[in-house]
Amino acid sequence: MTKFKGIKHVFFDLDHTLWDFDRNSELAFQDIFEKNSIRVNVEDFLKVYTPINFEYWKYYREARVTKEQLRYGRLKKSFDALQINIDDFLIDRLSIDYIDYLPKHNHLFDGVLELLEELNEKYQLHIITNGFKEVQTLKLQNSKIEHYFKTMTSSEAAGVKKPDSKIFHHALNVAAATVTESIMVGDTYEADIVGAQNIGMQTICFNYHKAVLKADEVVVDDIKSVRLFL
């Protein structure tokens, strides 16, 4: 197994890479459905919602929907698919409650704390995220990993979203890092891996989504294994 050479800066995605988004999201939905007296089985809801949410985040990366359209549309389309009639006022309230409750649950993937502790001794660590800045900041703080990261670059701060090369250049500039001494670790192949590779960054794909990837990609099936390459 070949280790990367000359690396000084490790850039991580947050959701689905370090922060267990699916687990935390399920707990947040349980909370807000109970709060708002929504009678739907959370597991049934998530089977419909998860692919719709993935689709809407793709639209958001491509600037086909705004933040507000994403937050509303993913819920509206999910309830419609389940043939549950919920008015727009309640959907708007659920979308706000979801963002409020999501950072209150902060499960990380197994081994994340040990990985960050180990890497922090050898590298400067950073975050690059398409997530909303205010929510991502709370996730880092509430999961008690904020102190590991020298910088956090959000798509809102950069003005563009991954995989746009500008967000990666912006993150490197904020971190005072160069392409050759930096590596990107993320779960979304198009946004994290291809985006970083397009500016010459080396990459490690945490294949959380079990995608079929090219044979020459550096891939790990659990986040702890990143240490084997650094």
Side-chain angles (χ1 to χ4, degrees), residues 112-130:
V112 163
L113 289 175
E114 293 83 355
L115 175 67
L116 295 178
E117 190 69 29
E118 180 179 329
L119 295 183
N120 191 49
E121 296 178 359
K122 299 184 267 186
Y123 308 100
Q124 290 193 36
L125 308 182
H126 313 273
I127 294 287
I128 307 178
T129 176
N130 280 352

Side-chain angles (χ1 to χ4, degrees), residues 11-38:
F11 291 83
F12 284 96
D13 177 52
L14 183 57
D15 294 335
H16 296 117
T17 299
L18 302 173
W19 200 81
D20 191 344
F21 182 90
D22 288 344
R23 185 179 181 187
N24 296 320
S25 180
E26 179 177 355
L27 292 169
F29 276 120
Q30 288 175 354
D31 288 341
I32 69 171
F33 287 168
E34 182 178 349
K35 175 187 175 186
N36 292 282
S37 301
I38 305 295

Side-chain angles (χ1 to χ4, degrees), residues 86-188:
I86 295 185
D87 62 41
D88 285 350
F89 176 80
L90 183 51
I91 288 178
D92 283 336
R93 190 165 70 194
L94 287 170
S95 72
I96 293 169
D97 284 347
Y98 177 72
I99 297 302
D100 288 341
Y101 277 81
L102 185 60
K104 294 181 180 181
H105 300 284
N106 288 281
H107 295 284
L108 303 170
F109 287 116
D110 289 342
V112 163
L113 289 175
E114 293 83 355
L115 175 67
L116 295 178
E117 190 69 29
E118 180 179 329
L119 295 183
N120 191 49
E121 296 178 359
K122 299 184 267 186
Y123 308 100
Q124 290 193 36
L125 308 182
H126 313 273
I127 294 287
I128 307 178
T129 176
N130 280 352
F132 309 130
K133 182 180 179 181
E134 71 276 15
V135 182
Q136 302 303 74
T137 299
L138 284 173
K139 290 175 184 176
L140 290 172
Q141 291 173 346
N142 293 347
S143 58
K144 297 180 172 55
I145 60 173
E146 184 184 31
H147 64 283
Y148 288 112
F149 300 99
K150 303 295 184 184
T151 67
M152 181 184 79
T153 296
S154 68
S155 57
E156 291 170 303
V160 293
K161 309 169 192 73
K162 295 178 292 184
D164 194 305
S165 61
K166 292 178 183 176
I167 191 172
F168 292 97
H169 285 301
H170 179 85
L172 290 171
N173 183 58
V174 171
T178 65
V179 167
T180 56
E181 63 189 17
S182 301
I183 192 166
M184 178 72 199
V185 181
D187 68 287
T188 305

